[in-house]
Amino acid sequence: MTKNVGVLFVCLGNICRSPTADGIFRHLVKAAQLGDQIRTDSCGTINTHAGESPDSRTQAHAKEHGYDLSMLRGRQFKKSDFEEFNYILCMDYENLANIKALEPLESEAILQLFGEYCDHDGTPLAVPDPYYGGPDGFANVLQMVETGCRRLLAKVREDHGL
Ligand code: 4NP
């Protein structure tokens, strides 16, 4: 069976926030036995970390919670991603603005802030960039992303009858 639903997570560098979301979402998809239907990837708006493994702090926090990110490699967003993915989830408002600026008029991809699926009181929150901060930032990313990925998977399942 082809993996007919594509979900792409986007951040700036593709070594902290979006690989965390990619790894957690993959884990949830596998647990729901939907690995044959849903494909997941992540990327950055910049190419600085293309080909790199996720940041060691990101990997350590994820591992503590049972998520293995070691197989993931960084890449930059490309325009063809608009055709390849049904959902494009951006980690912050700057990522969203940068991707929106590349969006072809005919794109049918759902382009959103990932924070739509996190806890919020009306205005979706950005997932804060943890790269230049301490361990709390990484723990916060993990918590926000876990919540958001659960809700996102429920939405994808509902949208596609899975
Ligand atoms: P990410 O974090 O966007 O969550 O992967 C960052 C990683 C690298 C840089 C900035 C943010 N950087 O400037 O290299």
Side-chain angles (χ1 to χ4, degrees), residues 96-114:
L96 182 63
N98 286 331
I99 300 301
K100 249 188 188 149
L102 302 172
E103 187 180 26
L105 277 177
E106 67 275 15
S107 172
E108 291 179 3
I110 295 173
L111 174 58
Q112 286 179 310
L113 198 70
F114 177 78

Side-chain angles (χ1 to χ4, degrees), residues 11-17 46 49 129-132:
C11 64
L12 177 63
N14 193 210
I15 53 169
C16 298
R17 293 166 293 174
I46 58 173
H49 300 283
D129 185 347
Y131 189 65
Y132 293 106

Side-chain angles (χ1 to χ4, degrees), residues 10-20 43-46 48-49 52 55 57-58 91-92 95 127-132 138 141:
V10 183
C11 64
L12 177 63
N14 193 210
I15 53 169
C16 298
R17 293 166 293 174
S18 62
T20 301
C43 64
T45 56
I46 58 173
T48 314
H49 300 283
E52 291 180 17
D55 182 280
R57 299 163 295 175
T58 291
M91 292 293 146
D92 64 33
N95 309 149
V127 179
D129 185 347
Y131 189 65
Y132 293 106
F138 289 88
V141 168

